[in-house]
Amino acid sequence: MQPTEASQTDEDAPVQLVTPDGRRVADDRNAPYRARTSHLGPEELRGLYRDMVLVRRFDTEATALQRQGELALFAPLLGQEAAQIGSGRALAPQDVAFPSYREHGVAHTRGLDMAQILRLFRGVDHGGWDSEAHNFHLYTLVIGSHSLHATGYAMGVQRDGLVGTGDPERDTAVITYFGDGATSQGDVSEALGFAAVNNAPVVLFCQNNQWAISVPTSTQTRVPLYRRGAGFGVPSVRVDGNDVLACYAVTAEALERARSGGGPTFIEAVTYRMGAHTTSDDPTRYRTRAEEDYWRDRDPIARLHALLVSEGAWDDEAAAALDAESEALGERIRVSVRALGKPAAASMFDHVYATDHQVVSRESAWFESYESSFTDQGGHR
């Protein structure tokens, strides 16, 4: 069944532009957001659909690779494609994103080769990509901590004079992604406080996927999560996280406000984690089949597909081309992961700090000595 909150009212209904069965929604409340998607024609809609399909294929392949022992762990995004693709495509090239560990869709929109994401989950290195090259920082595994990093970065952007100049190629916004569970961490509350009083150009994007591992949202909050922003003086909005057009529009508005000097925004995207929290989790132990079926009927990819079909923007030729591209991506991901070699154990000491650090250097030297103690006089282990 659908998760509910005791104090939810009509005004808490998420912004929606497309219904689960693929029909456009037009009312007074969503009119400003509809205007922000008016430039998205059939080609752009097909692009959003392609993004979501490819990201889901990546997710499926990565999950399978973990089951085959090729990855130590994986955090699936299954079901959250619209929230990530919609918001990610609203970003300008100069905007900067701070992800948690499930933002594979956002990574795709920032031009990151998704195969690089799996270096982290295979344990090859601490991240695997140049965060400055993509304006997409490394994944953060400590729940909620990066919301403070993003807010601090946004304050720096503000102090560097990169906000409110009126130059669309210069003005910069920062966005940080976290889940509903992270809102129970003090870091997110501190980030909201700092963002508010400093009028920081940051968007705090909460993907409420209903479950913080096995803890439902209903046991974490007495009110819809987006209302928390108002307590800090941060403009807040709730959006249908399975509606890619609504996610795009709401995020575009928030980013524009940030870039122009209007300060922070808190967004709650109401979505659902259709898979496990990570591949070490078994959601059947705490979720019902009825609940999963309810959300499966609201699948974000099926929703946009229905819209494309109803508007004559999808045909067999487009479907075949996307299927071929999806298959090629799956094969490339498999080959890339299996080709990753085993890094030298001592490499764990590399890049811990930007400059030499006495403690790390001492530990590295000790480890080198320790490893060499297992080598006999003939040079064999």
Side-chain angles (χ1 to χ4, degrees):
M1 61 182 297
Q2 179 185 16
T4 59
E5 290 143 338
S7 55
Q8 179 172 318
T9 65
D10 289 343
E11 71 180 37
D12 296 323
V15 173
Q16 186 181 81
L17 299 183
V18 181
T19 64
D21 59 356
R23 291 178 293 107
R24 291 187 185 266
V25 179
D27 55 38
D28 292 341
R29 182 166 178 254
N30 71 16
Y33 299 111
R34 279 187 283 121
R36 290 188 175 274
T37 63
S38 61
H39 66 288
L40 300 178
E43 183 177 354
E44 288 78 16
L45 293 181
R46 286 192 293 268
L48 292 171
Y49 182 71
R50 169 185 174 272
D51 287 339
M52 291 197 290
V53 168
L54 292 181
V55 167
R56 180 167 292 187
R57 181 54 184 266
F58 163 78
D59 200 69
T60 301
E61 291 294 339
T63 300
L65 285 165
Q66 194 283 328
R67 299 308 190 201
Q68 295 163 15
E70 298 290 348
L71 303 176
L73 185 75
F74 185 65
L77 65 69
L78 186 65
Q80 298 178 219
E81 295 89 355
Q84 295 190 18
I85 296 300
S87 62
R89 286 302 181 197
L91 294 166
Q94 70 272 19
D95 293 337
V96 182
F98 285 76
S100 60
Y101 48 77
R102 200 188 302 277
E103 276 66 61
H104 320 317
V106 183
H108 170 69
T109 68
R110 302 307 281 170
L112 183 68
D113 179 356
M114 289 188 289
Q116 295 185 60
I117 294 172
L118 300 182
R119 296 175 64 89
L120 171 66
F121 291 105
R122 189 175 171 94
V124 172
D125 54 34
H126 298 300
W129 61 87
D130 183 344
S131 59
E132 292 188 4
H134 301 280
N135 280 344
F136 183 76
H137 281 253
L138 299 182
Y139 279 180
T140 301
L141 305 183
V142 180
I143 306 297
S145 64
H146 58 295
S147 62
L148 280 170
H149 306 160
T151 302
Y153 192 97
M155 292 165 61
V157 166
Q158 182 186 60
R159 285 154 176 75
D160 285 343
L162 300 177
V163 175
T165 70
D167 183 348
E169 296 184 0
R170 177 179 174 83
D171 288 337
T172 302
V174 178
I175 189 169
T176 180
Y177 293 87
F178 48 86
D180 48 290
T183 64
S184 295
Q185 297 289 334
D187 304 64
V188 173
S189 291
E190 292 166 8
L192 281 164
F194 274 101
V197 299
N198 288 282
N199 207 45
V202 61
V203 176
L204 298 106
F205 194 99
C206 173
Q207 294 173 84
N208 179 0
N209 65 20
Q210 311 302 320
W211 292 94
I213 308 183
S214 60
V215 179
T217 307
S218 59
T219 64
Q220 298 181 69
T221 180
R222 295 287 297 275
V223 299
L225 291 175
Y226 85 103
R227 289 201 205 172
R228 290 186 174 182
F232 293 89
V234 175
S236 303
V237 60
R238 199 179 209 202
V239 63
D240 184 338
N242 285 9
D243 179 351
V244 69
L245 294 187
C247 289
Y248 173 89
V250 165
T251 308
E253 179 190 61
L255 291 168
E256 182 180 292
R257 179 184 301 118
R259 296 188 203 106
S260 64
T265 302
F266 182 86
I267 297 174
E268 178 194 358
V270 182
T271 182
Y272 191 72
R273 169 170 54 80
M274 292 169 65
H277 172 70
T278 69
T279 47
S280 65
D281 170 46
D282 179 7
T284 64
R285 296 174 64 88
Y286 53 83
R287 294 197 313 210
T288 66
R289 178 62 61 85
E291 178 186 311
E292 293 179 346
D293 288 343
Y294 173 89
W295 285 100
R296 192 171 291 111
D297 290 340
R298 287 152 180 77
D299 186 302
I301 295 179
R303 181 181 309 206
L304 185 54
H305 180 267
L307 177 66
L308 288 169
V309 171
S310 69
E311 297 186 349
W314 195 249
D315 54 31
D316 292 342
E317 183 179 353
L322 183 55
D323 285 345
E325 187 177 7
S326 179
E327 286 298 319
L329 173 64
E331 181 178 2
R332 186 171 65 80
I333 293 297
R334 292 192 297 273
V335 171
S336 297
V337 168
R338 289 168 179 158
L340 291 174
K342 181 179 179 181
S347 66
M348 74 176 87
F349 298 102
D350 298 340
H351 311 300
V352 176
Y353 290 96
T355 59
D356 290 339
H357 190 281
Q358 185 177 15
V359 174
V360 175
S361 297
R362 186 166 60 247
E363 291 176 345
S364 177
W366 176 89
F367 186 77
E368 182 179 354
S369 175
Y370 172 76
E371 274 208 311
S372 65
S373 70
F374 292 94
T375 304
D376 61 29
Q377 292 183 350
H380 303 292
R381 288 185 178 276

